[in-house]
Amino acid sequence: MKPYESALTRLECPECGRGFDPDRAQTVCEGCLSPLLARYDLKNLAAWFQPGTPAARPRGLWRWAELLPVRKAENRLTLGEGDTPLLPAARLGKKLGLSQLFIKDESPNPTGSFKARGLAVAVARAIELKQREFVIPTAGNAGGALAAYAARGRAKAHVYMPMDAPQANQQEVRMAGADLQLVDGLISDAARLAGQQAKHKRWFDMSTFKEPYRVEGKKTMGLELAEAFDWRLPDVIVYPTGGGTGLVGMWKAFEELEALGWLDGRRPRLVSVQAEGCAPVVRAFQQGAARAEPWQEARTLAAGLRVPSTFADRLILRALRESRGTALAVKDEEILSAKQDMAQLEGILPAPEGAATLAALPHLLTEGWLERDEKIVLFNTGSGLKYL
Ligand SMILES: *Cc1c(COP(=O)(O)O)cnc(C)c1O
Ligand SMILES: [Zn+2]
């Protein structure tokens, strides 16, 4: 294994353990209706890949190339994604009575959200595997990111988006030359249409967890966080959950770093935050269920959280429980006031989804779930500018 060479060895179904050839375009395990996860030769990698290796490279998520699926350097698409700031939030912390509060701010990513990480990797790998025409159902940001990386990779993108998705998302898709299909309904309705077209027209389906590599891109948030904290992870990560790629990706990152022997101490407790008007993961977590039932009549101003059901429900719920984490829902009014607080006290104008993580803190404190001196990281997953 040489530097920058992907250590990818196989794809695996986390439910039945079956292996799949990673060097062919793959979708899901049809038997289990489960996402596939990428596995790497961490044992051999650990012999020479050290924390200083990615640290010495140029900024961006491809400095983790060994732990990502793209094999050839020339296939690594980039618009400058990753290596976002980890900002201390001392004023917000003081207001809440928390002594070590941080915000991982994903808004500087290309296309203004962390969706860039997932789609940079997924589009690059799909093109490497000879796919040239993609389709995605999206609440908004994933469509914008797919359109941008498809343009960058000279591929074609079809985007299915609810007609009431943010204007910025609709326009960024059109401007990038992608085919935008507005759907009268939710992301679940868009997914049904996109899935039919994918089959019919043989477009490659980039839906959340219907291909194995978006989650690999999202994983880099966990790698960066571990590195920024000098390989001693924070106590708690608070994350807004739609399809769950971020949570599952970070949990996978920590598992791989542990296998490499880089982590010092235990993994963080994961907190999944959803909106009261659409909280399928929260409901399933509270019921002790292994699967999340679809949410009826999903309604919230946080477009990225308006996801009635996710294909990775088992993986999300497992990660929350393994981490001794929790899940909770917040009101739209709480999201709005948290948005203002984050902007006023820290200078970060968050996406509503990012603001939801801040809105969750008073609840967690009231429940006695957080200690005031714990190291806590909120994820602002996107820029508030897209929602003005
Ligand atoms: C998509 C999206 C989410 C939800 O992300 P998952 O990792 O898929 O759960 C959160 N915030 C923003 C801004 C998003 O665009
Ligand atoms: Zn399976």
Side-chain angles (χ1 to χ4, degrees):
M1 232 179 284
K2 295 197 290 279
Y4 276 104
E5 204 170 275
S6 172
L8 179 67
T9 52
R10 66 201 292 258
L11 290 169
E12 186 180 86
C13 169
E15 305 303 324
C16 68
R18 209 181 127 199
F20 294 76
D21 180 0
D23 290 308
R24 296 183 50 180
Q26 301 283 4
T27 55
V28 302
C29 177
E30 296 288 354
C32 306
L33 286 179
S34 165
L36 300 179
L37 296 177
R39 300 296 180 207
Y40 299 83
D41 183 358
L42 300 175
K43 219 194 212 146
N44 275 316
L45 193 58
W48 64 270
F49 192 60
Q50 301 290 321
T53 319
R57 294 174 178 170
R59 305 283 87 190
L61 65 66
W62 294 111
R63 65 194 180 86
W64 304 97
E66 287 84 348
L67 296 172
L68 293 171
V70 177
R71 302 227 185 256
K72 291 203 174 119
E74 65 265 30
N75 291 333
R76 292 183 186 128
L77 289 176
T78 186
L79 291 166
E81 54 294 318
D83 278 323
T84 55
L86 175 69
L87 303 165
R91 284 183 83 194
L92 277 176
K94 191 157 183 219
K95 183 176 169 187
L96 290 158
L98 295 168
S99 62
Q100 301 190 79
L101 183 63
F102 296 84
I103 298 171
K104 176 76 168 160
D105 186 15
E106 291 293 300
S107 60
N109 273 306
T111 70
S113 91
F114 76 134
K115 290 290 195 302
R117 294 180 188 263
L119 284 148
V121 173
V123 170
R125 180 61 175 156
I127 290 176
E128 185 165 74
L129 298 176
K130 309 283 182 257
Q131 305 300 309
R132 310 261 11 144
E133 194 156 5
F134 306 120
V135 62
I136 201 166
T138 174
N141 283 328
L146 174 66
Y149 287 95
R152 189 81 177 160
R154 282 164 284 146
K156 179 88 190 143
H158 304 271
V159 177
Y160 287 71
M161 192 185 286
M163 55 202 293
D164 57 356
Q167 277 301 316
N169 292 131
Q170 302 186 24
Q171 292 193 30
E172 68 183 334
V173 169
R174 285 205 185 94
M175 294 291 282
D179 160 39
L180 177 65
Q181 299 289 332
L182 293 174
V183 177
D184 186 6
L186 297 172
I187 185 173
S188 41
D189 302 295
R192 218 166 3 255
L193 286 170
Q196 284 164 7
Q197 293 298 313
K199 247 198 197 105
H200 190 62
K201 307 247 176 70
R202 298 180 164 229
W203 297 339
F204 189 73
D205 191 349
M206 284 288 185
S207 301
T208 309
F209 283 111
K210 297 284 175 79
E211 61 71 50
Y213 299 122
R214 273 175 68 183
V215 67
E216 294 302 296
K218 296 279 185 87
K219 179 177 88 177
T220 57
M221 294 189 293
L223 301 175
E224 288 174 21
L225 205 57
E227 180 186 56
F229 282 114
D230 205 16
W231 313 106
R232 260 183 309 276
L233 288 166
D235 299 298
V236 175
I237 292 177
V238 189
Y239 192 87
T241 309
T245 44
L247 274 181
V248 173
M250 281 194 277
W251 197 241
K252 187 171 186 290
F254 302 151
E255 192 181 301
E256 290 170 3
L257 290 173
E258 228 163 53
L260 285 172
W262 292 13
L263 289 186
D264 180 2
R266 61 205 302 181
R267 298 193 215 170
R269 315 201 297 286
L270 301 178
V271 180
S272 164
V273 182
Q274 296 196 301
E276 278 193 358
C278 183
V281 169
V282 175
R283 182 173 63 189
F285 181 82
Q286 288 171 350
Q287 291 171 346
R291 306 221 54 167
E293 296 299 322
W295 192 271
Q296 301 302 320
E297 294 181 42
R299 232 189 317 258
T300 167
L301 62 83
L305 304 185
R306 208 170 50 153
V307 181
S309 70
T310 160
F311 196 61
D313 53 345
R314 285 171 283 198
L315 297 177
I316 298 168
L317 289 161
R318 230 174 266 154
L320 292 176
R321 292 188 177 117
E322 273 176 34
S323 79
R324 299 165 300 117
T326 190
L328 76 163
V330 296
K331 293 185 176 28
D332 277 5
E333 304 86 83
E334 294 173 314
I335 292 177
L336 286 174
S337 90
K339 191 166 177 172
Q340 184 134 49
D341 280 350
M342 204 185 279
Q344 273 179 17
L345 295 179
E346 302 294 349
I348 299 166
L349 181 63
E353 298 85 349
T357 64
L358 176 59
L361 290 181
H363 295 286
L364 294 169
L365 282 164
T366 308
E367 286 170 23
W369 198 86
L370 287 176
E371 304 288 338
R372 297 197 173 271
D373 60 350
E374 287 189 299
K375 203 175 270 178
I376 300 162
V377 177
L378 307 180
F379 266 83
N380 174 35
T381 43
S383 168
L385 291 174
K386 293 182 92 171
Y387 302 81
L388 294 178

